[in-house]
Amino acid sequence: MSRIEYISQVVKEHYAFLENERIAEKAGISVHQVRRLATKMGLRKNKEFLDKKREKVKQAQREYYRKRIKPLSPSIEQLSIIYGSLLGDGTLSRGPRSQHYAYKEHFSEKQRAYREWKQEKLSTLGFHITHSNHLYSYSHPLFSELYTHFFPDGVKIIPPKLLAQMTHPLFLATLYLDDGSLILSKRKTPSMLVLHPTIVIYTQCFTHDENEMLKSHINNTFDTNFVVASRPDGHGFILKLNKEHEVQHFLRIIQPVTDDLPSMKYKTCLHERLELEQRNKTDSNVQVRLTSSEKRQNYSEEEINCLLELHQKGMTWSEIATTLNRTYWSVIQKAREIHLAQKEAP
């Protein structure tokens, strides 16, 4: 057998299942010559061989990428912001060529200062803001791990196993600033504009059971008194604080965080909102004030007698409330209590 015949036989016999380097070594020729001869002979690599080779390349790429990944060690404060954001406006996504997930959050221009605050707090974790008003992180195993907790079936949930870590005021502040509102309901009389504050956290993307779990956790951790309230959209449930002193307590909890965010005062400062209502009122003789939980709870005997007397004179509950300098619903509640007590008296 001539050398040319031998080389042709080696290439033909091994080309489909063996690497070109090994064939070149057996035949005593270069890799380039192996390829040229295989092309001339119409030879092709076996599909199973090619699949295994591609998998080896992918494994090598993954190992190379893994070695290049810098370890991230987020602080408690940083994790608290991330947790609050993931229950709020944030999400975790993965690009078509990415192995790991990354944090992503879109925002409107009017909330840029708040997102810049987030980016500054999370800058050591690779968070950055794009020109399209997105707050991004780089893909990383940290966010892939968080994905298994927050999106176990591809749908955002409240992760029970991580709730115990959500105890820092930064968590509560971030959740509220992302998805909360300070609502002022109004009751107007000829001489008074009475504002009643309510805190709402819009958690309607979570189920009733999840809202109950989050409510209990927040109340037990921060000594608040949130209740689960109904809402027509989403799963139909949100968290609310309905009493003025509870609202004040909540705002004091997050104040050390929100003092650094003047752009969010419309959500965090009752005094600011009160001044805004004062500036916007059309009648200079009308006074603007907040309701007071303390006043609603403590009626003097003189006030109770006055309430009964005014009611007997035929005054409306609204007129009685104005006379006593109390809210309409406070007077209604006290009237019901008095009526009940009178009914039960021997």
Side-chain angles (χ1 to χ4, degrees):
M1 179 185 298
S2 68
R3 174 170 170 71
I4 294 177
E5 289 175 334
Y6 171 75
I7 291 172
S8 299
Q9 182 178 337
V10 169
V11 172
K12 186 175 182 179
E13 183 179 343
H14 296 287
Y15 188 78
F17 297 96
L18 201 62
E19 276 116 0
N20 290 348
E21 292 79 6
R22 297 273 305 280
I23 298 172
E25 186 179 341
K26 282 179 177 289
I29 58 177
S30 68
V31 173
H32 175 70
Q33 287 173 315
V34 170
R35 292 198 191 100
R36 189 171 60 182
L37 189 55
T39 301
K40 187 179 294 186
M41 298 170 66
L43 303 177
R44 296 287 185 271
K45 292 291 187 185
N46 178 269
K47 184 180 181 302
E48 183 180 350
F49 170 83
L50 291 174
D51 289 342
K52 288 181 179 180
K53 191 172 180 67
R54 291 189 190 101
E55 184 57 34
K56 284 183 180 179
V57 172
K58 288 180 181 179
Q59 287 178 355
Q61 289 174 337
R62 283 194 289 266
E63 182 63 19
Y64 172 76
Y65 177 71
R66 186 188 65 79
K67 289 180 178 179
R68 292 190 62 193
I69 294 176
K70 296 180 180 180
L72 294 180
S73 300
S75 65
I76 294 173
E77 290 79 6
Q78 288 175 320
L79 278 177
S80 297
I81 294 172
I82 292 171
Y83 289 159
S85 298
L86 285 175
L87 293 186
D89 292 334
T91 188
L92 296 169
S93 61
R94 183 174 63 180
R97 300 180 62 183
S98 297
Q99 182 181 354
H100 291 292
Y101 283 84
Y103 181 90
K104 178 182 178 182
E105 177 182 334
H106 183 258
F107 58 90
S108 64
E109 188 61 32
K110 68 179 182 179
Q111 291 200 337
R112 173 172 287 275
Y114 170 47
R115 266 53 185 207
E116 288 175 345
W117 172 85
K118 275 191 187 183
Q119 188 273 329
E120 180 184 354
K121 296 292 185 183
L122 303 174
S123 59
T124 59
L125 303 179
F127 278 69
H128 55 283
I129 291 176
T130 68
H131 294 297
S132 58
N133 285 10
H134 281 88
L135 177 65
Y136 274 117
S137 75
Y138 299 110
S139 60
H140 193 276
L142 168 66
F143 301 109
S144 293
E145 174 65 20
L146 289 177
Y147 186 87
T148 65
H149 291 280
F150 283 89
F151 300 87
D153 297 311
V155 178
K156 185 188 288 191
I157 68 164
I158 298 174
K161 292 182 179 179
L162 294 184
L163 269 182
Q165 300 179 33
M166 302 179 190
T167 57
H168 197 285
L170 275 165
F171 159 72
L172 187 61
T174 306
L175 173 60
Y176 171 65
L177 293 175
D178 268 32
D179 269 353
S181 288
L182 171 57
I183 298 173
L184 295 180
S185 56
K186 304 175 182 179
R187 182 178 65 82
K188 191 173 181 181
T189 70
S191 61
M192 188 79 64
L193 177 61
V194 181
L195 306 176
H196 179 76
T198 301
I199 291 290
V200 178
I201 301 180
Y202 296 100
T203 49
Q204 65 266 32
C205 65
F206 302 118
T207 65
H208 180 266
D209 289 344
E210 287 178 302
N211 271 282
E212 287 287 348
M213 177 175 63
L214 183 60
K215 176 205 75 174
S216 297
H217 171 73
I218 292 175
N219 289 345
N220 292 334
T221 303
F222 299 102
D223 193 28
T224 52
N225 195 30
F226 277 96
V227 296
V228 176
S230 60
R231 182 179 170 87
D233 57 335
H235 285 286
F237 303 98
I238 56 177
L239 299 185
K240 290 182 76 174
L241 286 175
N242 291 308
K243 295 182 178 179
E244 177 265 342
H245 72 279
E246 293 172 351
V247 171
Q248 296 273 22
H249 172 63
F250 173 82
L251 295 177
R252 282 194 296 270
I253 293 172
I254 65 172
Q255 185 177 352
V257 177
T258 58
D259 277 348
D260 292 334
L261 292 164
S263 66
M264 303 300 283
K265 278 189 174 182
Y266 69 97
K267 283 189 178 188
T268 63
C269 184
L270 271 174
H271 178 70
E272 184 94 358
R273 293 288 295 275
L274 226 62
E275 285 191 344
L276 180 63
E277 292 292 340
Q278 189 74 33
R279 290 194 298 269
N280 290 341
K281 69 179 183 179
T282 56
D283 188 345
S284 60
N285 295 319
V286 172
Q287 294 183 349
V288 179
R289 70 171 180 85
L290 284 177
T291 56
S292 171
S293 303
E294 293 295 326
K295 289 182 180 179
R296 286 199 302 271
Q297 292 172 358
N298 302 306
Y299 272 72
S300 67
E301 186 175 347
E302 181 182 350
E303 284 180 304
I304 293 173
N305 291 334
C306 183
L307 187 156
L308 291 170
E309 183 182 341
L310 295 174
H311 180 58
Q312 288 172 356
K313 289 181 177 179
M315 290 182 67
T316 66
W317 295 121
S318 181
E319 290 170 336
I320 294 172
T322 302
T323 303
L324 294 177
N325 196 26
R326 290 184 174 273
T327 67
Y328 172 83
W329 287 111
S330 172
V331 170
I332 290 293
Q333 181 62 33
K334 180 53 65 176
R336 288 171 179 167
E337 291 174 6
I338 295 170
H339 179 65
L340 180 63
Q342 288 175 338
K343 271 186 144 183
E344 292 177 350

